[in-house]
Amino acid sequence: MTSPKLKVAIAGLGRMGARHAAHFYGLTPRAELIAASTPDHREIAWARATLPGVRTYSNYDEMLYQETQNGLQAVIVASVTAVHAEQAIKAIELGLHVLCEKPLSTSIVVSESVVAAYRKSLETHPAQKVMCGFSRRFDASYRDAFDKIQSGLIGKPTVFSSQTCDKMDATGSFVEYAKFSGGIFVDCSIHDIDLALWFFGEESRVKSVVAVGITALWPELRKYNDRDNAFGIIEFYGGKIAQLFCSRMMATGQEDCTEITGTDGKISVNTQLISNFVNIHEATGIRRELVSDYYGRFREAFIAEANEFTASCLDNNATPLKLEGAVHAVRIALALQDSLISGRKIEFDESGHRITGGT
Amino acid sequence: MTSPKLKVAIAGLGRMGARHAAHFYGLTPRAELIAASTPDHREIAWARATLPGVRTYSNYDEMLYQETQNGLQAVIVASVTAVHAEQAIKAIELGLHVLCEKPLSTSIVVSESVVAAYRKSLETHPAQKVMCGFSRRFDASYRDAFDKIQSGLIGKPTVFSSQTCDKMDATGSFVEYAKFSGGIFVDCSIHDIDLALWFFGEESRVKSVVAVGITALWPELRKYNDRDNAFGIIEFYGGKIAQLFCSRMMATGQEDCTEITGTDGKISVNTQLISNFVNIHEATGIRRELVSDYYGRFREAFIAEANEFTASCLDNNATPLKLEGAVHAVRIALALQDSLISGRKIEFDESGHRITGGT
Amino acid sequence: MTSPKLKVAIAGLGRMGARHAAHFYGLTPRAELIAASTPDHREIAWARATLPGVRTYSNYDEMLYQETQNGLQAVIVASVTAVHAEQAIKAIELGLHVLCEKPLSTSIVVSESVVAAYRKSLETHPAQKVMCGFSRRFDASYRDAFDKIQSGLIGKPTVFSSQTCDKMDATGSFVEYAKFSGGIFVDCSIHDIDLALWFFGEESRVKSVVAVGITALWPELRKYNDRDNAFGIIEFYGGKIAQLFCSRMMATGQEDCTEITGTDGKISVNTQLISNFVNIHEATGIRRELVSDYYGRFREAFIAEANEFTASCLDNNATPLKLEGAVHAVRIALALQDSLISGRKIEFDESGHRITGGT
Amino acid sequence: MTSPKLKVAIAGLGRMGARHAAHFYGLTPRAELIAASTPDHREIAWARATLPGVRTYSNYDEMLYQETQNGLQAVIVASVTAVHAEQAIKAIELGLHVLCEKPLSTSIVVSESVVAAYRKSLETHPAQKVMCGFSRRFDASYRDAFDKIQSGLIGKPTVFSSQTCDKMDATGSFVEYAKFSGGIFVDCSIHDIDLALWFFGEESRVKSVVAVGITALWPELRKYNDRDNAFGIIEFYGGKIAQLFCSRMMATGQEDCTEITGTDGKISVNTQLISNFVNIHEATGIRRELVSDYYGRFREAFIAEANEFTASCLDNNATPLKLEGAVHAVRIALALQDSLISGRKIEFDESGHRITGGT
């Protein structure tokens, strides 16, 4: 007898949605992708060709309505950021498990409303799982780093440096996207912020943030209060500091890396960037190529995320990430974004309230 | 409507068999693992616990008999080397597709009998696929190297260096295994030999081989005519040379790497050994860990192999590797093994016949 | 006939002074070290044993007085920072060439007085050379990076990241030194600041600086207004930003590295830290050792500095660095140190005057 | 009072001779270069311009005759290989210290005659030093590797792999040079052979050698019995093996590296090839440049050699290398060269006599 599989639907089949769909369709043995929704007809055509057996919908609500009658158990929210929260809440209120792409929202209030909906629903669905996906938490190298830190290998971790730097996109397609993205700290550095919270402890409280940035190649980002390169510093209560670098201007490829320094040692992740194990020796030097986007580096992590979320739902185990952390990360990212634009250093008291620099 | 999946059975659930089973069970969307056979009761118990829905058999013939009635289409032969050929031939003669673990056999004659059986069966089953798996052919880095060489990036490839070096196993478990393995060149270097044939061209003809070796740690290997460390050189007609290193004595982990030098450049694969992207900075230095076995390095390649073999069968496309190459590689490996033990350089004429050094 | 050599005296034979003495004594063919002064009798004994033929003095003024009569042409000031400026000015006023260790002073006013003395002296000694040594400017790799940037390889350089991180010194000897050092940004990051000015252009004007830091291991640094780890950001007018990291807490060794990102590419220097070309494969991983201090990494640069300074003096060529840059770097370092302690972001107008954040 | 310096003369001011001259002239504090001889008038002009104070001669014998009257103590033989032995012997017979470039000769008999001359001279000049320079013995990384092996870090060293591969020289200038070089194993691999003897122990006795090679780009090498790429294997009595690779065809630059595997670990030297610490991130990948010749990699080693040879002479200490080792290395290189051309494996008895494969 075959053990039961988790019945999953996905909302959104854009770039990231299509990847999630493929992971749940063919690379998550304990899950069965039964439905997908997207308002985009080309994406529906893609799903029909690529995901035989999966029912497609142009309307999310319709999908929820129909598929709950087919035993739907979990929803993957991978649509545009603007509808993440709304779609997640609808599924939560139906008692469905939810895996929501990051961020929950570019608004703290809206992000918190997802957490509130989940807390309320838990009262009647105590086994319900809701998770916001931060892919690096599922990456084998970042996990190895975390485990080594937990084991005490570097003493007390106190100094954190991390960067999320995108390959230069000459078309500047991200400029229009900046209208909705929440800005470069929310779009890119949120991963680094989440890592800082992971390595320093989820309970870490921010003391101050400050950021500066430039528009080296795309001055039109300024109309959306965004920048193409920025540095930020986060100071935590208790003697911990973090440094961030985000950029849209890497010539070679995606350059994401992290270093965590403790009182007894340091761990670095990804600092020797490679795409594979090939080196080319030619007249101009020894060359290695690079992955062109974060999926090239983190594909395995996304697949692990799909499998572990599925296992949490089926086995009623805790999800690898707590939902509250996603709100915490957005709050810090938005403060950095605020500092980036206002030029002010922003300070917080020990309860998390801004005490200076507010806008 | 779901498109039909390839119905697959697996023979052997030992270390490698269990991995193949997991790949076909959960990571090969177009395949359905329906049955598995092994004479080992513990392995059957494992399959029942881990692969729900898969029918298990303690007898290979019985599995073939029953499952052909259930629509079985393909067999994965992952049992002990000694029965590879026999099991493969039985499946071939039933018109089934076959993916056989390397080597087909440690005997050239037996290896050739598999090829002969396949050629005969093709007359009546022209869409039948039979492939011997050389995992590195499916590895993204080796493929990238191959594509770059094909594109002319290094000019004409003429000098090849490669090594397959196992992590030291203090228990010496491989000593008893040496009785059946065919020796270190057949067990380890066969991968490197296959790569040389791939990069230099499958039609390459050997002019001479020579090998020397030692037993640095396990002198008891000598009773099975084996060594724990060896070097070999292969000379091809047409001005191409290959150098091999195989070892059972790597302190840190699996060390497999390859360099191909051409008249305009060089490509190296795996020469900067890593297990993941973590570096540890501690008082004694900067340290990185290593994978402990070839599966740690080539897992993705095995999964690609499962998916591509499946696609070849379903879509009636050519398999990525030709079966004849597997015989060619065994023939070279056995000649090296012969030279290793006899101390003689072995020469071949342009038709492939030994002209000196025979034993 | 032998060509004349530059007659050189050195002030200070402490750690760095002894190195400069050895460089000028045996590794600078066009220079002749004729005298050395130090108030420390052990250092005088060391000089007598190690530098035969060099006259030693316990008093700097006495050395100047006597040796000008012996044809002294140049003075290397490598004494404690507190007397750098005074000793340099005395030599300058005698019309001698001067190579002064960094920093000229931890005070801007005093630093400027050295520049003023030099400008005045130049009126009567137009061939006089005065240089403040920033060793990285003489390092082959940093020079290669600079040349590549100048050639346009990375487009317009706009984003700079650099760190000077010392190996952890369990004795905490640097704590007492912090009383005089000017703080971690003046002592360590001054090199990175100088590099930023070099790569971005000496004429770059600072718009703002901000810094945060902690005392992870040595809280007693706080009594000298210092920290053991700090991050800083420098914003320049014209759309350029720099990020700094300085630390006293590296477990493995000296970790100094730099990245410069431009609109077309990036150059990194030293990011793959090594001490030599050895890798050790052992059961716990592959390990490489690290240099334990900056001299281990930059010895060749110091030797190049000695030879190039000598050539400038003998051939009346421009020195590789302008003296004014040293004041510029100190000014930025002190502003970062101020921000580190005050917690304020400090802003400058386009003429270089502080407009906020003053103390 | 200045301590006395070693009075040195140099024979030969070609590429390597000019470098030695510069090292002894300006970078060896305890030596004084007093004279140089070369039959080439352009080289004499170079010396007069570059080495003021050094007396020049167009005739070696004349230099010896004149300079012994000026207190000459040591001769550096850096002329063409064909006269190494003759010039060395003349200096030895005068009781002078001699540093001779490798090889002593491409003939074993002639090489042995140098050793014999030295042994004889020692009877009357017991403090006389004669050394054949193998630069890698003075390289910091190779020395670190040696020290670590001596300390037992890798257990018993038993497996050695090393390569000396020259950057491709499109002019093929080395083809004519092959007439005198002794062949690629004598010209290039002699360094690797010397390293094998160093790491395995000078007393190691060869059991067999075998080599194969090709002419991938320069078939005209065949008329001088040479090849442009070759592999060789050396088997030593006592269970030790060495693998060599030599090439004239590296597209990027000089690629010299070495690995020594022992029963408990492995040490690699130079396997991550770099020229400096710069990495270039550009659209095609991350690139590092390479040194174009062995001097680019080993300059510091040559300078150490000059200083240590000088110290041995002045302080009457043992030289870092024994002269006999140079004969041993030539003997092995010539046997490999013989195998390369004859196609035969060559075996030796335990007393070092060839027992098979002779020509």
Side-chain angles (χ1 to χ4, degrees), chain A residues 168 243 255 266 272 343 345, chain C residues 243 255 266 272 343 345:
Chain A
M168 200 183 292
Q243 172 186 251
E255 303 203 5
K266 183 169 89 167
Q272 176 77 347
K345 184 176 176 187
Chain C
Q243 172 186 253
E255 302 203 5
K266 184 169 90 167
Q272 177 76 348
K345 184 175 174 185

Side-chain angles (χ1 to χ4, degrees), chain B residues 5 20 28 49 77 80 86 146 158 173 195 215 220 225 236 257 270 298 319 346:
Chain B
K5 295 188 172 191
H20 280 296
T28 309
V77 177
V80 295
E86 180 193 331
F146 180 78
T158 50
S173 65
L195 290 172
T215 48
E220 56 272 39
N225 277 336
F236 292 94
C257 55
N270 258 8
F298 293 109
T319 53
I346 296 169

Side-chain angles (χ1 to χ4, degrees), chain A residues 172-181 220-221 223-224:
Chain A
S173 65
F174 58 89
V175 173
E176 283 310 303
Y177 176 62
K179 204 186 301 184
F180 312 102
S181 74
E220 57 272 40
L221 282 168
K223 72 181 167 205
Y224 303 124

Side-chain angles (χ1 to χ4, degrees), chain A residues 156 158-161 163 168 208 210-214 216-217 229-235 239-245 247 249-251 255 259 261-266 271-273 339 343-345 347, chain C residues 156 158-161 163 168 208 210-214 216-217 229-235 239-245 247 249-251 255 259 261-266 271-273 339 343-345 347:
Chain A
K156 183 184 169 193
T158 51
V159 177
F160 173 91
S161 281
Q163 67 174 62
M168 200 183 292
S208 75
V210 66
V212 303
I214 56 173
L217 283 174
N229 287 274
F231 291 136
I233 300 176
I234 310 169
E235 185 181 17
K240 294 175 178 181
I241 49 177
Q243 172 186 251
L244 308 177
F245 173 30
S247 174
M249 201 172 76
M250 296 293 109
E255 303 203 5
E259 294 197 339
T261 306
T263 48
D264 273 343
K266 183 169 89 167
T271 49
Q272 176 77 347
L273 295 158
S339 175
R344 287 178 230 164
K345 184 176 176 187
E347 302 187 340
Chain C
K156 183 185 169 193
T158 51
V159 178
F160 173 91
S161 282
Q163 67 176 61
M168 198 183 294
S208 74
V210 66
V212 302
I214 56 173
L217 283 174
N229 287 272
F231 291 137
I233 300 177
I234 310 169
E235 187 181 16
K240 295 176 178 180
I241 49 176
Q243 172 186 253
L244 309 177
F245 173 31
S247 174
M249 201 172 75
M250 295 294 109
E255 302 203 5
E259 295 198 338
T261 306
T263 49
D264 274 344
K266 184 169 90 167
T271 49
Q272 177 76 348
L273 295 158
S339 176
R344 287 176 231 165
K345 184 175 174 185
E347 302 187 339

Side-chain angles (χ1 to χ4, degrees), chain D residues 13-26:
Chain D
L13 292 171
R15 192 176 57 164
M16 203 57 234
R19 289 167 179 160
H20 280 297
H23 301 165
F24 277 97
Y25 186 75

